[in-house]
Amino acid sequence: MIKNMSILLVTTSIGCAPSLEKEWDWNDEPLETEEIEEEEIEEGVYTNVIDATDAENWIYLDLESNELVAVDDPMDSTDWDIGFRRSHLKLNSGMHGLSTVEAALIEDAAYVPYDEAPAEGYQQDLPDTNGDGNPEYALGEWYDYDPSTHILTPKNQFYVVRSRNDVFFKFRILDYYDSAGTSGYLNIGWEEIDSPSNPVPSNPDIDKTINATDASTWIYFDLESASIVSPEDPTDSTDWDIAFQRYQIAINGGISGTGEMEVLPVLGVYDDFETLDEAPEGEWVTDVEDADDDGIPEYAFQDWFDYDVSTHILTPANAVYFVRTVEENTFRVRIHDYYSAQGDSGYMSVEFDEL
């Protein structure tokens, strides 16, 4: 039975075969099908949903490649730009990393047509100043919080982020929840934009405002890189040049550090700052022990201000300071202000040029 069935199948197959005597015209043209065009993603335009649901571990992102990177020691890595953990976003700079990532808040412009980075307004993450136990993240004010529903909603604003490779992106948070309503899923978008057409010049000639409002925390600053740094042991570190705490300014020398820095104060030349191309003859000083029993060391910058006893206002003294850094470079330095635009004290506005 099986044998006969096999013969039948073969016979049927032969009966359906084309005649070898006939010339067949084959159509070699491909079948016409509807073309499916791949959506071309514009270069420099990125989106991602970051699973930052783990309250213990940070997720690290490289902005330029849109890749999540594994980081063993974030404080010693230059592979990442932004870190994510629940609602917190941190930058690779200042107190959180070796690099120089900064962010500027943009509140008065529409996101879509915005195509050029601002020249000023950039901030790095700073230590906690309001006592809530969290650092003052440069991207920390991205949301509104509804205490009745406990829902976080992105504010009608965005940021410009300067990456660790000095590439500028406009950056925004679109959502904090996935489709099921689970929190910690940060839906973000960012696009590369043009660098500032009139940027603040790099060294020499930089102005910087330091948030030194915390009376219990020193903010450490490196003049060469014009950035806030976070030395593990400031008294034995060569990573910083000047430190700020409220109105006090310390240098990495003498009793304050092992950087052997010195300062030459020059009186009466505040308005001549731009023309002072070299340090004059004079006595170079460093930070030394308290000599007048007021409980404060004799800082090399101690006379930077004049104090009005009636208003309690600090005004920059008529002085320019020449500073010899840890790297043995010379800068001219003057203090512009001790107050923010709103009049809050502890915001040190400093100008410094490398000579």
Side-chain angles (χ1 to χ4, degrees):
M1 185 71 174
I2 297 174
K3 186 174 182 180
N4 290 339
M5 185 180 291
S6 298
I7 295 172
L8 178 60
L9 288 172
V10 171
T11 304
T12 304
S13 228
I14 294 174
C16 292
S19 170
L20 298 177
E21 297 177 358
K22 184 171 181 179
E23 192 173 306
W24 294 85
D25 295 326
W26 298 101
N27 181 6
D28 292 329
E29 294 294 324
L31 292 174
E32 290 187 10
T33 58
E34 183 180 350
E35 288 189 16
I36 300 175
E37 294 185 4
E38 291 188 8
E39 182 180 353
E40 183 176 345
I41 299 176
E42 184 180 347
E43 184 178 356
V45 179
Y46 306 92
T47 59
N48 207 328
V49 177
I50 306 295
D51 180 354
T53 54
D54 190 335
E56 300 297 327
N57 295 310
W58 288 89
I59 306 298
Y60 296 96
L61 176 67
D62 173 5
L63 284 174
E64 292 165 56
S65 66
N66 188 13
E67 291 183 356
L68 300 181
V69 294
V71 177
D72 292 329
D73 183 0
M75 285 299 300
D76 194 34
S77 171
T78 57
D79 294 333
W80 63 281
D81 294 298
I82 303 180
F84 304 83
R85 190 186 69 188
R86 301 293 297 167
S87 61
H88 299 310
L89 286 74
K90 68 178 181 179
L91 303 178
N92 189 350
S93 59
M95 64 176 295
H96 284 141
L98 287 176
S99 197
T100 56
V101 182
E102 296 180 313
L105 174 62
I106 310 297
E107 296 180 289
D108 55 354
Y111 181 83
V112 173
Y114 197 90
D115 60 2
E116 182 180 312
E120 299 180 282
Y122 295 91
Q123 297 288 334
Q124 298 178 354
D125 298 344
L126 297 172
D128 177 26
T129 59
N130 58 12
D132 65 355
N134 293 316
E136 307 306 321
Y137 297 109
L139 301 175
E141 301 296 328
W142 66 265
Y143 62 86
D144 289 318
Y145 172 67
D146 187 330
S148 62
T149 64
H150 306 294
I151 296 296
L152 275 58
T153 306
K155 291 182 178 180
N156 185 24
Q157 62 186 31
F158 60 96
Y159 297 88
V160 170
V161 177
R162 177 165 52 196
S163 78
R164 65 195 192 282
N165 295 321
D166 289 329
V167 179
F168 291 86
F169 297 90
K170 57 182 179 182
F171 174 90
R172 61 180 174 176
I173 296 94
L174 301 170
D175 208 343
Y176 182 60
Y177 303 90
D178 66 6
S179 58
T182 306
S183 63
Y185 287 91
L186 283 153
N187 186 347
I188 58 176
W190 66 103
E191 298 180 23
E192 185 176 340
I193 58 177
D194 294 335
S195 300
S197 56
N198 295 301
V200 175
S202 58
N203 270 342
D205 197 14
I206 288 181
D207 294 329
K208 204 75 173 181
T209 298
I210 309 295
N211 182 346
T213 55
D214 189 341
S216 62
T217 302
W218 285 94
I219 306 299
Y220 296 92
F221 195 78
D222 174 53
L223 286 169
E224 275 81 9
S225 65
S227 63
I228 296 171
V229 295
S230 300
E232 185 174 345
D233 181 5
T235 60
D236 191 27
S237 170
T238 58
D239 294 336
W240 65 281
D241 294 307
I242 302 179
F244 303 86
Q245 184 191 76
R246 298 294 295 167
Y247 64 88
Q248 298 178 127
I249 304 175
I251 64 171
N252 194 346
I255 65 167
S256 300
T258 56
E260 300 183 354
M261 283 185 57
E262 292 182 315
V263 171
L264 172 62
V266 182
L267 305 179
V269 295
Y270 188 90
D271 293 335
D272 299 325
F273 180 81
E274 298 292 345
T275 62
L276 298 174
D277 296 329
E278 60 181 0
E281 295 292 329
E283 181 183 359
W284 292 78
V285 296
T286 191
D287 294 352
V288 297
E289 297 282 357
D290 177 25
D292 54 11
D293 297 325
D294 63 356
I296 300 173
E298 309 303 322
Y299 295 115
F301 273 89
Q302 65 180 347
D303 295 323
W304 72 262
F305 64 89
D306 293 321
Y307 175 64
D308 189 322
V309 293
S310 62
T311 63
H312 306 293
I313 297 295
L314 275 59
T315 306
N318 186 10
V320 171
Y321 294 82
F322 290 87
V323 176
R324 191 176 294 140
T325 70
V326 173
E327 289 82 1
E328 299 185 355
N329 298 314
T330 301
F331 285 76
R332 61 188 179 199
V333 178
R334 66 174 171 180
I335 312 300
H336 274 288
D337 209 339
Y338 178 62
Y339 302 91
S340 69
Q342 292 74 34
D344 297 319
S345 62
Y347 289 88
M348 282 283 201
S349 180
V350 185
E351 181 176 3
F352 49 100
D353 299 343
E354 185 175 358
L355 301 179

